[in-house]
Amino acid sequence: MKYQNTIEGRFHSRPNRFIAKVWVEDVLETVHVKNTGRCKELLLPDSRVILEISDNPNRKTKYDLIAVYKEGLGLINMDSQAPNKVALEWLREQDYDFIKPEYTYGNSRIDFYMEKGDKKYLMEVKGCTLEIDGVGYFPDAPTERGVKHLKELTGARGEGFECITAFVIQMEGVHQVLPNVETHPAFGEALAEAKAAGVRVLFLGCEVEENRLVINRSFEG
């Protein structure tokens, strides 16, 4: 996926989870943050950030904050809408006969439903932006929604679905994602139960650029 029009800025502050203050040249702009997670280890004062310039003249904010440079690691895409977009691009190259995004299953909307031959698949996508000592962790904030989806996938395995939890790693140099049990123990428990039931854990590594994000490798967890 590509961003059409990007510009660099310097992070100043984050008044709430939806907006940030960013220096763009010599002007302190209010920008929309495309990630409602905590991201405290990323959005540090004076960090270099990448903004996408909106083409909607009626918006209250002119910019979207989509990426940040982290010392010792490089560029991290933190756009929470990006993982599903790049996952769809990747799925289209995997020889599935049918792909349907936003599939209703049980009491949840699962990110993707796929078919290949007589097999039916469900895949839930999670974006990973939290890195500690070269390892990715998810989530960076408690996610009851994430636990619910894992339980839905666990149940779907019993009904004959092939089920996948896919972690899109929105940074380079990270090859593993572990459950962040310190932040949300229930997610770690639900992931272990899902794996025991046969839910596959897939890591999707990315090439990250200021105006582009693409999955370039996949491996089982």
Side-chain angles (χ1 to χ4, degrees):
M1 60 165 287
K2 289 187 176 181
Y3 297 98
Q4 297 304 313
N5 197 358
T6 60
I7 190 172
E8 185 174 306
R10 293 280 179 176
F11 178 79
H12 178 271
S13 58
R14 190 178 185 182
N16 60 53
R17 62 179 183 156
F18 300 106
I19 63 170
K21 299 288 187 178
V22 174
W23 289 105
V24 180
E25 296 180 347
D26 295 326
V27 179
L28 188 60
E29 299 276 2
T30 299
V31 308
H32 172 61
V33 180
K34 296 192 75 173
N35 189 316
T36 57
R38 291 174 177 168
C39 305
K40 289 183 177 180
E41 79 289 350
L42 298 179
L43 297 178
L44 302 175
D46 208 36
S47 295
R48 292 170 58 201
V49 296
I50 304 301
L51 310 175
E52 182 180 33
I53 304 172
S54 173
D55 57 4
N56 181 356
N58 298 317
R59 271 188 38 163
K60 290 183 179 180
T61 53
K62 181 180 178 180
Y63 304 100
D64 290 313
L65 197 161
I66 58 171
V68 58
Y69 281 92
K70 182 177 181 181
E71 186 176 355
L73 186 66
L75 186 63
I76 299 177
N77 180 294
M78 52 177 289
D79 178 357
S80 61
Q81 297 176 6
N84 279 41
K85 292 179 181 179
V86 294
L88 179 57
E89 293 175 348
W90 180 80
L91 284 172
R92 286 172 173 162
E93 299 176 351
Q94 304 308 308
D95 299 323
Y96 287 102
D97 301 322
F98 177 75
I99 302 170
K100 178 178 174 55
E102 296 294 321
Y103 180 76
T104 300
Y105 176 81
N107 296 316
S108 298
R109 291 180 71 86
I110 303 299
D111 289 324
F112 295 101
Y113 166 82
M114 300 91 73
E115 295 178 359
K116 185 181 292 187
D118 59 356
K119 290 186 177 182
K120 297 180 179 181
Y121 298 77
L122 294 175
M123 187 171 91
E124 184 66 18
V125 176
K126 306 297 181 187
C128 176
T129 62
L130 175 60
E131 174 268 343
I132 303 173
D133 296 329
V135 177
Y137 288 88
F138 182 93
D140 79 335
T143 171
E144 296 300 333
R145 181 172 178 268
V147 171
K148 178 183 176 184
H149 286 158
L150 285 173
K151 291 182 176 180
E152 293 279 21
L153 292 181
T154 300
R157 280 292 297 144
E159 297 183 5
F161 285 88
E162 300 290 330
C163 296
I164 305 166
T165 294
F167 292 96
V168 174
I169 304 172
Q170 294 170 259
M171 49 198 156
E172 299 182 15
V174 173
H175 307 286
Q176 182 184 23
V177 179
L178 298 178
N180 189 356
V181 293
E182 290 188 8
T183 296
H184 198 181
F187 182 85
E189 294 168 5
L191 183 62
E193 291 172 2
K195 292 175 70 173
V199 176
R200 293 168 56 201
V201 175
L202 191 62
F203 301 140
L204 300 176
C206 292
E207 180 180 340
V208 185
E209 299 177 7
E210 292 186 353
N211 66 345
R212 179 174 174 266
L213 184 72
V214 61
I215 293 170
N216 62 359
R217 63 193 186 279
S218 63
F219 37 99
E220 296 274 348

